[in-house]
Amino acid sequence: MKTLHEVTQIVGMTRRVIQEYEKAGLATAPTATNKYGHLLYADKEIDRLWQIRFYRELGYGKNEMKAVFNNPHYNRKEALSFQIAQLEKKKKHLESLIETANFLKEMDVPISAIRFGSHGLENLPYDTLVPVIVAAFNAMDLKEPMDQSFVAALTEEDENYWFETLDKVMVFFKEDSPYDDDSVQVQICALHHITAKVLSDSIFLFKWNNLNFAPGAEIASEIDDIYGPGSAEYLFQATCYYCTKHEDNPTDRNLIDALNNIENLGRKKYTTGSEEVQAQVKRIHEFFSNIPAMSQAAHLSLLNNIGNMFGSNTYKELIDNGAERGVSWFISRAIQIYCTRLKENEFTEDTV
């Protein structure tokens, strides 16, 4: 026999919670007492509370628990299967949340930057957008330190010009000029041209780099310290506007067209290893190969990461509603074959 205090420690529920389940008729309130008048719980009563705790952890409500304990026709196996599916969904959500937090910590950017980094996916529901964008940015996570490569790819003259251009943007900030003013946008264009020497002239990559200036990021704080509060947000918004106006540029369009072509070839039952499909993967590889700040090994590593991204459950859900061998899988497999052939010259064919 155990006192209520001892029972709370055994089952991991407070007195109040235990008493709520007793009032609901799910647990049996003890009647036995010790010499001090304290209620005593028998093993059978403790076992019921232990079961209640288990079902509570699974997410069962009081009505569902009543069915478990009182309904002779209750299909326990079917109910548990449903609950397991719900828990798996919750597990994926928590894993995505952890990945998001790690991404924000490593990039040192605020959560508000997530939507800006989605590049045309801003209207997706939160539960869809977050795992998708985190998977995309994880694909950009390379062992090669980009910050060092960034500096190495610029000459001293380039660096000076970049800061001179930033100074010009901040003059407009101090004059309260709208960030979408043509004069401001000319300077943002100049910043883009300098950044292109490191990341290529891709707007997508320029937009990705601009996350460093999102309000709340470490670099943004440094800019605010130099130019005054709100200056980093002004730069961020000005660059956002520039990227939106120029997102349909030839460099990014070539990448998007290659992906669309692979999808169309897959629907036409071309194999992932066919010359036609592999020619489109080569275009994707060329997109990354034009990033001056990265080595050839990093280009291939990034392409491989992109393939893994399309093969992830997140992208399968987004593109193919979870289908195992749909468009997302086809793109992923085509990229895998391309990377393998470059490394080992193997030949493999698959179809959707």
Side-chain angles (χ1 to χ4, degrees):
M1 303 287 281
K2 304 291 183 183
T3 64
L4 178 56
H5 175 70
E6 291 173 321
V7 171
T8 60
Q9 294 179 319
I10 292 171
V11 300
M13 293 189 294
T14 65
R15 292 169 180 261
R16 182 183 60 80
V17 171
I18 290 174
Q19 289 167 353
E20 282 183 5
Y21 284 114
E22 289 173 350
K23 290 178 181 178
L26 288 164
T28 303
T31 55
T33 60
N34 61 15
K35 64 180 180 179
Y36 302 106
H38 297 154
L39 292 172
L40 294 176
Y41 286 76
D43 287 342
K44 184 176 180 181
E45 293 159 348
I46 296 173
D47 182 63
R48 170 57 68 89
L49 287 171
W50 196 90
Q51 292 181 61
I52 288 172
R53 170 63 192 272
F54 174 72
Y55 285 113
R56 188 168 183 252
E57 288 293 303
L58 285 179
Y60 280 52
K62 290 186 176 67
N63 289 335
E64 292 169 303
M65 290 187 199
K66 286 179 181 178
V68 171
F69 295 130
N70 303 326
N71 185 353
H73 304 294
Y74 183 77
N75 191 324
R76 192 186 307 272
K77 186 175 181 179
E78 182 179 305
L80 282 173
S81 295
F82 173 79
Q83 208 64 23
I84 289 170
Q86 296 299 108
L87 288 171
E88 288 289 347
K89 186 176 180 181
K90 185 176 181 179
K91 177 185 174 184
K92 289 181 180 179
H93 174 72
L94 290 174
E95 289 173 346
S96 175
L97 195 59
I98 292 171
E99 286 185 358
T100 304
N102 280 327
F103 159 69
L104 294 172
K105 182 185 71 173
E106 293 300 321
M107 287 288 291
D108 191 27
V109 296
I111 186 63
S112 57
I114 286 287
R115 290 190 73 247
F116 176 71
S118 59
H119 197 67
L121 302 178
E122 292 89 344
N123 294 323
L124 285 177
Y126 175 90
D127 289 338
T128 302
L129 176 61
V130 171
V132 165
I133 204 60
V134 169
F137 276 92
N138 280 341
M140 301 293 286
D141 184 21
L142 301 170
K143 294 180 180 179
E144 195 171 280
M146 280 295 293
D147 53 349
Q148 297 178 17
S149 301
F150 195 104
V151 174
L154 294 178
T155 65
E156 184 177 349
E157 182 180 358
D158 290 331
E159 290 186 58
N160 291 335
Y161 183 52
W162 195 93
F163 284 107
E164 289 171 4
T165 305
L166 178 61
D167 288 338
K168 292 177 182 178
V169 173
M170 291 310 156
V171 169
F172 291 112
F173 163 69
K174 292 176 181 178
E175 293 176 348
D176 290 327
S177 299
Y179 61 76
D180 58 353
D181 186 87
D182 288 345
S183 299
V184 178
Q185 290 300 303
V186 166
Q187 300 307 321
I188 300 299
C189 182
L191 291 176
H192 179 211
H193 287 318
I194 302 170
T195 307
K197 294 186 177 183
V198 180
L199 297 176
S200 85
D201 58 357
S202 163
I203 290 294
F204 170 72
L205 294 177
F206 185 51
K207 188 175 187 181
W208 171 71
N209 182 68
N210 189 47
L211 293 179
N212 290 305
F213 308 119
E218 183 177 356
I219 295 178
S221 299
E222 294 176 2
I223 291 176
D224 279 346
D225 289 340
I226 297 171
Y227 296 101
S231 55
E233 183 172 3
Y234 183 85
L235 174 63
F236 181 72
Q237 294 296 342
T239 307
C240 287
Y241 180 82
Y242 175 87
C243 291
T244 300
K245 295 291 287 185
H246 298 86
E247 60 185 3
D248 191 24
N249 62 93
T251 299
D252 293 331
R253 176 50 56 190
N254 188 55
L255 174 65
I256 294 170
D257 286 346
L259 289 169
N260 288 337
N261 289 341
I262 294 174
E263 176 181 346
N264 292 333
L265 289 168
R267 295 187 186 282
K268 293 178 181 177
K269 300 304 178 183
Y270 280 77
T271 61
T272 54
S274 66
E275 291 183 10
E276 293 83 356
V277 171
Q278 290 300 301
Q280 298 306 313
V281 178
K282 184 178 180 181
R283 292 174 64 187
I284 300 174
H285 187 202
E286 289 171 349
F287 172 87
F288 296 117
S289 296
N290 287 326
I291 302 176
M294 295 171 59
S295 66
Q296 291 184 355
H299 295 150
L300 187 59
S301 177
L302 181 52
L303 178 63
N304 186 68
N305 288 352
I306 295 297
N308 293 336
M309 177 188 75
F310 275 98
S312 67
N313 290 330
T314 295
Y315 271 68
K316 287 178 182 178
E317 288 290 340
L318 174 68
I319 298 173
D320 299 305
N321 294 321
E324 282 298 317
R325 291 173 71 90
V327 171
S328 183
W329 168 85
F330 189 82
I331 294 174
S332 175
R333 183 63 179 147
I335 292 175
Q336 288 174 355
I337 290 175
Y338 179 91
C339 292
T340 299
R341 286 181 178 178
L342 284 182
K343 293 178 180 179
E344 303 174 8
N345 198 29
E346 291 183 351
F347 182 81
T348 308
E349 288 196 352
D350 296 281
T351 59
V352 173

